[in-house]
Amino acid sequence: MTIWEMLLVGIAAFCAGAMNSVAGGGTFFSFPALLAVGVPPVVANASNSVALWPASMSGAWAFRNELARYKRYLIPMGIVSFIGGVGGGLLLLTTKDATFSKLIPWLLLFATVLFAFSSKLSVWLRGASAGAPTNSPAALAGQAVVSVYGGFFGAGMGILMLASLAMAGHDDVHEINAIKNLLSAVIYSVTVLTFVIAGAVSWPHTLLMLATATLGGYWGATIARKIPPQSLRRFIIAVGFVLTGFYFYKTL
């Protein structure tokens, strides 16, 4: 990497860590930065997942007390997440760079729209859900779809999982967030292991991103209360749509 490439990737990962700790959407910064410095699309996605993986683990650990009473419920969901994460990771590894390049704008568009309407979607789903959460076939199938998507791309997975859990009968936002963090950690962990074993990670870029994303996450957590969340959400959405338009233009 040149000094300018290191700066671009490092700053993007710092912003990703900060955004994820405050409002989410960090992938919209880190993934395009890797593409911009010439990392192949599949390797860029795998490296991005590895770089942002520690944040998912810390998020799950923070909710360990809330999750203790859901052990029986979480075991089947965790198994489905594990299998789906492996499937999504393997699907990414078997996808050619040219094919994945054509999918990038569509995946970014989907993730951006999902992020933009996440609040309304969550409210609607909490109102539409009924009954106690169960490991019904529909709930497990929904988690399986989310897990495959998360293993394949990742951006917007958290919002998809919030929707899936709400539809499964969860109506407490803190409960949903706690379960989402744990299952996301399972998916990211297994996909990271898959990518590392397959040799699909660019370690110079990934190690730089790990360091700067961690710093960004810490910095973001310290200023989270000082910045209006709605302003950050609007900024992330704007970035998402700009990047979507740019990658659609590149595919012409």
Side-chain angles (χ1 to χ4, degrees):
M1 285 185 290
T2 66
I3 186 64
W4 296 111
E5 289 174 340
M6 292 178 65
L7 283 173
L8 176 61
V9 171
I11 292 172
F14 180 91
C15 292
M19 288 299 176
N20 281 345
S21 69
V22 177
T27 296
F28 292 124
F29 295 88
S30 51
F31 176 63
L34 288 171
L35 295 178
V37 299
V39 180
V42 171
V43 175
N45 195 42
S47 300
N48 184 67
S49 296
V50 175
L52 300 182
W53 168 65
S56 68
M57 297 298 292
S58 62
W61 179 255
F63 283 97
R64 61 191 181 280
N65 293 329
E66 289 84 351
L67 292 167
R69 56 195 174 108
Y70 288 105
K71 288 182 179 179
R72 290 186 178 180
Y73 170 79
L74 289 172
I75 290 175
M77 294 289 276
I79 293 173
V80 168
S81 299
F82 180 92
I83 296 172
V86 171
L90 293 176
L91 181 62
L92 174 68
L93 294 176
T94 58
T95 303
K96 295 181 179 179
D97 283 318
T99 302
F100 193 71
S101 294
K102 294 178 181 178
L103 289 174
I104 287 172
W106 294 103
L107 291 168
L108 286 174
L109 177 62
F110 177 71
T112 302
V113 171
L114 206 60
F115 189 85
F117 293 98
S118 60
S119 298
K120 293 181 179 179
L121 182 64
S122 296
V123 171
W124 179 80
L125 286 168
R126 285 199 297 273
S129 63
T134 61
N135 285 317
S136 65
L140 293 173
Q143 183 60 27
V145 171
V146 173
S147 302
V148 172
Y149 173 84
F152 183 74
F153 187 55
M157 178 186 69
I159 300 166
L160 275 177
M161 198 178 301
L162 291 174
S164 176
L165 291 171
M167 292 175 68
H170 296 276
D171 56 7
D172 183 276
V173 65
H174 297 297
E175 173 186 292
I176 292 175
N177 201 34
I179 295 173
K180 183 264 294 181
N181 281 347
L182 176 64
L183 297 180
S184 295
V186 171
I187 295 167
Y188 278 125
S189 296
V190 70
T191 52
V192 162
L193 184 61
T194 302
F195 296 149
V196 170
I197 292 175
V201 178
S202 175
W203 286 110
H205 298 89
T206 301
L207 292 174
L208 173 61
M209 292 174 67
L210 274 168
T212 54
T214 301
L215 291 173
Y218 180 80
W219 179 77
T222 61
I223 66 162
R225 296 179 180 179
K226 301 178 182 179
I227 301 177
Q230 192 60 32
S231 298
L232 280 173
R233 287 182 61 84
R234 289 171 181 168
F235 177 68
I236 293 170
I237 291 166
V239 170
F241 278 120
V242 169
L243 290 173
T244 298
F246 173 74
Y247 285 106
F248 267 120
Y249 174 77
K250 285 190 68 175
T251 59
L252 296 178

